[in-house]
């Protein structure tokens, strides 16, 4: 299964997630700011524990960009500060718009 | 994933479950941390009718689990 969405402009990478955080919790959290189109929250295949990061997809890139600005270094879950940034491999360094 | 779909429907912007509140260590009756960012960035573009206590909604509306609502009424203040 691919982890990175084809719709890269509207997908955020969320990092520094505590193991106790569930997919439902991530969904509820990001819904507070924009409607969530989908979440990929990988687990280790063998150990079944979460890997500490997730990809959260929104309906368009405008929403995603807003959420990145709004939620990066803002929310602590179980005392770990969530890192939120635009996902996508060909995004240049944390994107100043040309 | 019927169970997931069902859960999705229970989630509404402006309302925080006990579980999420506990994970954030957010005391009841306190605004969640992104509300400060709403002030700074403007309201989320995805929710044009979002009313949030202390920003564009009377702070008295803040209760234990509700801090905002997607108003169905036009955003006029009816007092």
């Amino acid at each position: 299964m691919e982890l990175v969405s084809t719709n890269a402009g509207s997908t955020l990478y969320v990092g520094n997630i505590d193991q106790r955080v569930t997919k439902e919790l991530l969904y509820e959290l990001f819904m507070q700011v924009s409607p969530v189109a989908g979440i990929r929250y990988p687990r280790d295949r063998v150990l079944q524990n979460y890997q500490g990061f997730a990809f959260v997809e929104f309906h368009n890139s405008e929403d995603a960009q807003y959420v990145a600005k709004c939620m990066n270094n803002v929310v602590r879950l179980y005392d770990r500060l969530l890192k939120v940034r635009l996902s996508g491999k060909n995004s240049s360094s944390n994107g100043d718009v040309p | 994933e019927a169970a997931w779909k069902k859960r999705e429907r229970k989630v509404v912007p402006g309302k925080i479950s006990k579980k999420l509140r506990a994970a954030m260590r957010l005391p009841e009756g306190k605004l969640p941390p992104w509300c400060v960012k709403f002030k700074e960035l403007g309201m989320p573009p995805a929710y044009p009718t979002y009313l949030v206590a202390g920003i564009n909604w009377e702070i008295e509306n803040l209760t234990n689990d509700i801090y905002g609502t997607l108003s169905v009424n036009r955003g006029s203040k009816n007092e």
Side-chain angles (χ1 to χ4, degrees):
Chain A
M1 283 275 147
E2 54 170 358
L3 285 178
V4 177
S5 166
T6 46
N7 209 354
S10 56
T11 301
L12 299 182
Y13 166 88
V14 181
N16 201 26
I17 305 173
D18 188 278
Q19 295 260 339
R20 286 167 282 182
V21 174
T22 61
K23 191 176 171 186
E24 289 78 8
L25 209 68
L26 288 176
Y27 179 82
E28 184 186 354
L29 176 67
F30 285 98
M31 272 296 286
Q32 303 298 320
V33 179
S34 278
V36 171
I39 298 178
R40 273 173 301 269
Y41 188 25
R43 287 175 194 261
D44 183 281
R45 214 163 275 203
V46 178
L47 301 170
Q48 284 300 302
N49 54 348
Y50 290 117
Q51 305 292 286
F53 64 91
F55 293 95
V56 182
E57 191 181 332
F58 297 88
H59 291 289
N60 58 58
S61 59
E62 188 196 7
D63 290 355
Q65 280 171 29
Y66 179 89
V67 176
K69 278 187 259 176
C70 189
M71 298 298 254
N72 186 37
N73 291 327
V74 166
V75 178
R76 279 176 192 278
L77 294 178
Y78 302 103
D79 297 321
R80 286 179 67 170
L81 193 58
L82 288 190
K83 305 289 173 184
V84 183
R85 58 178 159 80
L86 279 173
S87 163
K89 32 204 165 185
N90 19 349
S91 66
S92 51
S93 63
N94 254 341
D96 284 341
V97 189
Chain B
E1 291 252 317
W4 173 254
K5 282 268 173 267
K6 207 172 172 186
R7 242 176 266 131
E8 279 187 1
R9 255 175 260 129
K10 283 204 298 192
V11 174
V12 286
K15 182 169 184 269
I16 302 178
S17 69
K18 279 207 168 67
K19 212 182 152 201
L20 179 56
R21 195 171 280 279
M24 294 197 295
R25 318 230 191 271
L26 184 72
E28 290 191 343
K30 200 174 172 235
L31 282 171
W34 51 85
C35 291
V36 179
K37 300 293 273 189
F38 287 174
K39 281 187 194 168
E40 196 182 308
L41 300 168
M43 300 303 283
Y47 296 144
T49 62
Y50 211 0
L51 296 177
V52 172
I55 298 177
N56 57 359
W57 205 31
E58 299 301 312
I59 192 76
E60 288 76 39
N61 291 307
L62 184 63
T63 60
N64 287 346
D65 56 346
I66 306 272
Y67 69 92
T69 182
L70 292 183
S71 101
V72 264
N73 315 320
R74 50 261 118 203
S76 63
K77 290 175 199 163
N78 21 339
E79 304 245 348

